Amino acid sequence: MKTKWKVSFLLVILILSYLTFWNYKNRIYDWDMPGYLGCLYTSRFPDSPEKVRNLTFGFIEKEAPADQYSDIIGLKPVDRARQVFKNDTQSFTEQIPYFQIKAGYNLAISFFYEIGFSPPMAVLVASLISYFISGLLLFYIVTIIFPQKYLIAAGLTIVIALLPPMTYMSRVSTPDMFIFQFLLVFAIGWIKRWNKWIMFLILLGITFTRPDYIPFTLSYLMSVIVFEYYKDKKIDFYILIQGAALLYLYMFIIKFYNYPGWKNLFYDSFIYRRPTISAQPAVFTIEEYLHILLNKITYFKKVSLISLSMLGAVFYLSKDQWVKLSACLIFANIYIKFIFFPHSSGLRFFFGFIILLFIILLYALSKKYNGFKLNKIV
């Protein structure tokens, strides 16, 4: 068995290394990069916003392919807002808080910059390294769920690593790949039933890295309270304290970085990208919001079908109430995220939750078929 494990693990290492290198060769310099480079330089030159803007676009121009740089600055295809961001210091500076609130992600970028990566590569390498680590975590998770089935673990790991949303996330300057590894650590803790304080530290890391995951972290704690009350008819007040701490961290980050708020983000993302935030208020009605939501959900069929199918399979395979509740939790968070940010064409926004739901499905499958051995299937 040790030989099989070594061979499978070596295979995973080799393929992940190749895929990581391929993703590096095909890296993408996208619009999010100026935002995160702006965060990097703002922390170093807080009183020189014009210098921050010049350094940001100057470094990207040096490294990015010409066509990608033209896209970033709104020349081809034409994007007036991006043109203004590139040339107007106030407009660019007002965009920075949208990116600064991803505090943990920006901290990682700063670390890679300090150890010698160029500013644009410091942003991209955070995704590339997270891709490799996530692959290793996936392999470990599947070996926990299916002990001694190393070829299955290796196969599933490689299949997931090859999925287009995952390879895309590894090539762009967004925190989606970076947060994914935290979600996988959460999955390990869920499977192994780690104690509530270790799980709280994981939830703290998730919230610190991406505060917009606060609905997920708080809803998980709420599900723990509900389940324990259902089982023991008592409430664990320590869980309530943990929830309050996560909410305080969220509010602190939002206030510290002067985050414009969800209303402004929604307006700039789905109604009109304002070149200068302060020049025009983000005003829209509930009717306009619902119209956008209903329009976007018609293109959300793929995610809905996948998630509903997996949720149904979990309920069919498992009699464990905690497993069912956890599956409902993840399923609900897919739609909570969609309600707040209905980017129906961007599967990467929901990929982490979909994989968590898939892991719960694998867990239910393994528990049903002979205690993690799959002897009835293989």
Side-chain angles (χ1 to χ4, degrees):
M1 287 300 175
K2 287 185 178 180
T3 302
K4 288 184 179 180
W5 181 88
K6 289 179 180 178
V7 171
S8 299
F9 184 66
L10 181 60
L11 178 65
V12 168
I13 289 285
L14 290 173
I15 295 179
L16 285 176
S17 297
Y18 172 77
L19 291 174
T20 303
F21 179 74
W22 185 88
N23 290 329
Y24 164 75
K25 296 292 287 184
N26 292 276
R27 61 194 183 276
I28 300 171
Y29 295 76
D30 60 353
W31 160 244
D32 284 337
M33 181 172 284
Y36 291 113
L37 284 190
C39 297
L40 178 68
Y41 285 120
T42 297
S43 65
R44 285 154 176 78
F45 310 107
D47 300 321
S48 305
E50 187 169 354
K51 182 176 182 179
V52 169
R53 180 179 61 83
N54 289 334
L55 286 171
T56 294
F57 288 98
F59 271 106
I60 296 174
E61 186 176 14
K62 287 179 183 178
E63 292 194 18
D67 59 331
Q68 294 182 23
Y69 182 69
S70 293
D71 183 28
I72 288 172
I73 63 175
L75 293 181
K76 189 178 180 181
V78 175
D79 188 311
R80 180 175 174 272
R82 294 185 185 182
Q83 292 177 12
V84 175
F85 300 151
K86 197 267 180 184
N87 295 300
D88 184 80
T89 298
Q90 180 182 346
S91 296
F92 179 68
T93 301
E94 289 184 2
Q95 294 292 313
I96 299 300
Y98 280 142
F99 301 89
Q100 283 178 314
I101 62 164
K102 281 69 174 264
Y105 180 60
N106 284 309
L107 192 63
I109 292 170
S110 293
F111 169 77
F112 290 121
Y113 173 73
E114 292 295 340
I115 65 174
F117 286 96
S118 69
M121 276 309 303
V123 179
L124 292 170
V125 79
S127 296
L128 289 164
I129 292 178
S130 298
Y131 175 82
F132 185 82
I133 293 174
S134 295
L136 298 181
L137 290 171
L138 281 167
F139 178 75
Y140 179 63
I141 288 169
V142 183
T143 58
I144 298 172
I145 296 175
F146 301 137
Q148 302 179 3
K149 302 297 179 181
Y150 303 121
L151 290 178
I152 290 176
L156 279 174
T157 298
I158 300 308
V159 168
I160 294 173
L162 284 169
L163 291 175
M166 186 146 173
T167 57
Y168 178 76
M169 289 190 301
S170 72
R171 296 159 54 204
V172 296
S173 50
T174 71
D176 298 307
M177 193 74 255
F178 189 77
I179 195 66
F180 185 61
Q181 60 192 335
F182 286 86
L183 296 178
L184 293 178
V185 174
F186 169 84
I188 295 170
W190 181 86
I191 294 168
K192 287 182 165 289
R193 307 293 173 98
W194 287 345
N195 73 61
K196 61 190 175 188
W197 291 108
I198 296 178
M199 294 301 287
F200 169 67
L201 291 176
I202 297 170
L203 297 176
L204 197 69
I206 291 172
T207 305
F208 181 66
T209 300
R210 287 200 62 165
D212 57 318
Y213 272 68
I214 191 69
F216 168 68
T217 56
L218 291 181
S219 61
Y220 170 76
L221 292 179
M222 182 59 66
S223 69
V224 172
I225 291 175
V226 169
F227 182 74
E228 290 189 352
Y229 183 80
Y230 171 80
K231 186 176 64 173
D232 302 324
K233 296 297 184 290
K234 62 180 182 180
I235 294 176
D236 188 341
F237 287 96
Y238 286 112
I239 302 295
L240 294 177
I241 293 172
Q242 290 178 358
L246 292 178
L247 187 59
Y248 175 80
L249 175 63
Y250 170 79
M251 297 301 295
F252 175 80
I253 293 173
I254 293 296
K255 187 174 182 179
F256 184 80
Y257 290 113
N258 297 311
Y259 180 61
W262 170 81
K263 188 176 181 180
N264 283 276
L265 177 65
F266 187 89
Y267 188 89
D268 286 335
S269 300
F270 301 105
I271 298 177
Y272 173 65
R273 187 65 178 269
R274 294 167 295 174
T276 305
I277 292 176
S278 60
Q280 179 181 341
V283 178
F284 59 93
T285 64
I286 294 177
E287 288 77 14
E288 288 176 302
Y289 166 73
L290 291 176
H291 176 75
I292 292 170
L293 199 65
L294 291 173
N295 181 58
K296 293 290 183 180
I297 205 167
T298 59
Y299 300 98
F300 203 56
K301 297 174 185 175
K302 185 184 295 184
V303 174
S304 297
L305 178 61
I306 292 170
S307 53
L308 274 171
S309 298
M310 289 194 290
L311 181 65
V314 169
F315 271 72
Y316 173 77
L317 292 168
S318 180
K319 295 181 180 179
D320 188 322
Q321 296 302 318
W322 174 240
V323 172
K324 291 180 179 179
L325 180 60
S326 298
C328 289
L329 164 74
I330 303 302
F331 179 80
N333 271 278
I334 292 173
Y335 284 89
I336 290 172
K337 192 169 183 65
F338 177 79
I339 287 171
F340 282 101
F341 199 77
H343 204 308
S344 55
S345 61
L347 189 58
R348 65 183 176 88
F349 293 104
F350 313 97
F351 185 75
F353 289 139
I354 292 172
I355 294 299
L356 284 183
L357 193 55
F358 179 64
I359 289 169
I360 294 174
L361 173 59
L362 292 180
Y363 180 85
L365 178 68
S366 179
K367 291 291 284 184
K368 182 176 178 64
Y369 288 96
N370 202 21
F372 288 41
K373 294 181 181 178
L374 281 183
N375 290 341
K376 294 183 181 180
I377 298 179
V378 181

